[in-house]
Every structure is written in structure tokens, then in C-alpha cells.
Amino acid sequence: MNAPLAASSDSSANGLRFPDLLVYRGHAAPVRMEVDVQDCEVIGAIPPGLNGAYYRNSADPTYPPLLGTDIFLNGDGMVHMVRLENGHADLKTRYVRTEKFELERKARRALFGAYRNPFTDAPEVAGRDNNTANTSMLWHHGRLYALKESGRPYELDPATLATLGERDFGGTLKSRTFTAHPKLDPQTGEAIAFAYNTEGVASDEIELYTIDPRGAITRTERFKAPYCSMAHDFLVSRNFIVFVICPMVCDWERVKRGEPYWHWDSTKKTRVAVIPRKEGVKGIRWFTSPKLAMQTHTFNAWEEETNGGTTLHLDHFVTESGWLSQFPDLHDPDAKEKPPFGERWSLDLASPDDRIEQRRLIPHIGEMPTIDPRFSMTRAWQFWFGTSNPALGPMLEWGPKGPPFTCLGHFDEAAGKLDFWYAGADSSPEEPHFVPRHAGAAEGDGWLLAIVGRRAENRSDLVILDAMHLGRGPVAVVRFPCRVHEGFHGTWVPQNELLARS
């Protein structure tokens, strides 16, 4: 059992200093700079049609932790934008001005304690919002949002990254939380979203939202999961919404005692909720995974008509342990985190039983998945992800969120072929993002964008690769003259959409 955390601060009259811990050391060290770099150096040539902005979010701590230590996930939201236009590349970074950020900046020290634990906050911020807005970015109905699943969205100006404020979609967002992984329907223009721990405390309730192309919430309804679970991601097909409820659990009494917010509980089963998009939660159906598993992040969900019925396929990364690099095992303090693999889970919706067929989709470890977004919710054949491949280069030393990637991977399911790009010595690529070459291009014909940490140089790059030919190396490298903080998730916004907004 973890002992409660004690309050301790590294900020003093003698100056501000971060503790010498893994989460604040080396390439994971806080950057804390808001920068503007016009015309970054470019090696190679940015593709002529690649005009727009790449936004990604990161957890970049502003102040040393109130309790003396912290986890990687609890840093303040720092958004990075790379604006590409006619072969030029500009870099801009800005903190999201959350309520937490503004209160701590005014105090010139940390005021909020452990991750999502209000009982460890300083007394002067009791009852205030601890949302860090640090996980992902959403572009929808011409607006840009920074997202964190423990709070509501924050809107940013897409040109300046200035924070415009917390948003509740005109008062129609019922929950105090909002997912970091909404799904965009390429056919209808809707965003399908959800909230878990809906009131900001541990609970088994999940709220579903449908947001129309104009930004109005047109449908909202709530259902109960079998237990309080970290519902970090989910899947949406043309006709179904799917949640994998895994035993990363929260008990509010443990939170009150100062223990970590999440624990891995291997005594619980992994459950799968299938919800018809038209019928809603009244049509929910539950399935049980034959193995203990945690869904990390998702590729896609799609349907196949077979034997007079419908088979629902779920393509995602799955691990047989929790996120033990961040949160402990409830029953085994020595448990080790297991690597995630791309799997396909298939559910025969015509069958009366709750059987799930599970098979390995990608014969290689990986995480941070992406597909061609034009094929979301239907059959996709091309898959990209972050990974390592010791045959191409050595593994890097573990950081605060586990082993860094050394490669980007591509799996062409139609050809049954794996391809890799190795980023080079002391280099760590992060989440890849796919951009089609043009609106009518074939699936996978386009560019793969990723931030790469150049660890030996204490610097970062944006690389642009031909998505179907990773092994050929980058067509362009945008060199940053500085390091940006390791990030999580991002999005691409085409120039025509940016101009339409302005």
C-alpha cells in the first residue's frame, strides 16, 4: 500500500529549483519557454501542397511539485504549433492559461498537489479547478481546443495560441470532464465525445456526446460502467460506439488518503460496451474479454457483414498490464509494465453470447497509433505507430513515461508488410500524424508528421516522411533551435480551414 504523500516544496526565497528526479531530468526536464521562431531551418523540401498547421500538446511543469515529486502526466499544458506555408516553417509555443496555471503563476509557486487529487492541494486553492489541459488537441467547427480528460476543453486562438477560455458548448456540456480523444466522423462532420468521472470525482458513470459540425451538442446521455475505470480512449464505427472498460480503477477513499489516483486491479475482468449510435445507451450490450487487458490507444472500429449478421472489429493497442510506469499495481508492488501490441478484437453481434475473438494485428510492439482519418469508422488497411526496433538501432534509456520510441512503424495490412524509419542515434520520435497528399488521394498516400527529440543536442525537430515509404527517410526535416517538451497527442489543420476561420 502506498504511503500518503507529504507536502514539500522546492521553491524558496533562495530561488526556484526542480528536484533531481527522473521526471525532471535530461530530455524530460521542463522547458518552460514560450517561443516564436520564424523560418526554422529546413533540410530537404517541405512538400508544396503541405500547407497548414500541426498542433500538439504536452505536459510541461511550470513550477517544482508541491509535494516534492510528481508523475509525468501532471505537467501544465504547453501547446506547440508548427505552421507550414509555401515551404516555410514557423514554430510557436504557448502555455494554456488554465485556472490552475494562472493561480500558480500569480503565487510564483505550485499550489496544486498530486495528479487529480484535490485533498493534496494547498489550502488557498481548495475547491479550485486543477485541469492542466495538457493531453491532446481538437479542431472542430472552426475552433481549436486543448483537452485533458479530467476537465473541460480550453479554446485557443489557432493563429496566436492565446487562451480564449474554458468552454462548455453554450452551457450544454453537463459533465465537469471531457475526453482527450473525441472521434471525428468524416462523413457527417460530427464529433463523438464522452466524459468519465463526470463530476470530477471517482464514479462509474460515463456521459456520451454528439457535437454537430457547427459545434452544438445535439445528443447527450449517460450510462454506468461495471466499475470506475480509466476510460482514456474509445472507438466509434459507422453504427456503434465502443468502450473497453479495463481494471485501471479509482477508489475515492484511497484518493482521500493521498494514494495515487489510479491502481491496476488484476482481480477485475475487462469488459466491452457496444452502444448503437442510433438507439443510444438503451441498446447497450456488454461483452467480456477472455483475457485481462488494458486498451491504451485506438486505431479504428469498423463493421463487416458476415453470415447474415454484423461483425464489429476493434483495432487498437492493448497491454496485459496497467500503466505501471505512472500508477501502481494494487496487489503486486513489484509488477512490471508489459508492452502493448496492436490487436484486432472481433465481436459477432448476431451471436447471443458475449465472446470476443482476439488476435494479433501487428506483429511488433507499438503505441501512439494513427490511420488515414478519411477512413475512420470504416475499413482501413494502413496503420502507423511509434515503436522501437533493436535491429535498426539500440533502445534508449527509460524515461518517466517508459521506454522512448526510436522508430516510427507502418503496417500495410493488405500487403502484410511492416516498414520502419529509425530516427538515428539518441533520437526519439513521438506520436505520428497522417496528412493526405490531397483530398482524393488513395488511402495512405500522404505524409507522416512527427516531433523528434534530438537528445544529445538538447533540441527537437519536426520530420515529414512519405507515409507509404518510411524506410526512405524524411523528405524534409524542420530543425528547431531549441527543445520542446515531450508531448502526447496532436492534430493537423489544413490551411484552407484556417483561412476560412479568419
Side-chain angles (χ1 to χ4, degrees), residues 313-324:
H313 299 287
L314 315 176
D315 296 342
H316 50 183
F317 275 112
V318 172
T319 178
E320 295 182 23
S321 72
W323 286 353
L324 302 184

Side-chain angles (χ1 to χ4, degrees), residues 5-12 16-21 23-24 30 32 61-72 74-76 100 104 109-115 120-122:
L5 296 168
S8 170
S9 176
D10 281 326
S11 297
S12 69
L16 180 150
R17 185 183 62 177
F18 283 85
D20 185 22
L21 301 171
V23 70
Y24 306 113
R32 305 177 71 230
T62 312
Y63 289 102
L66 179 67
L67 305 180
T69 187
D70 209 341
I71 62 173
F72 188 87
N74 209 27
D76 294 290
K100 172 188 181 295
E104 292 186 331
R109 65 183 180 90
L111 298 171
F112 293 82
Y115 173 81
T120 61
D121 295 343

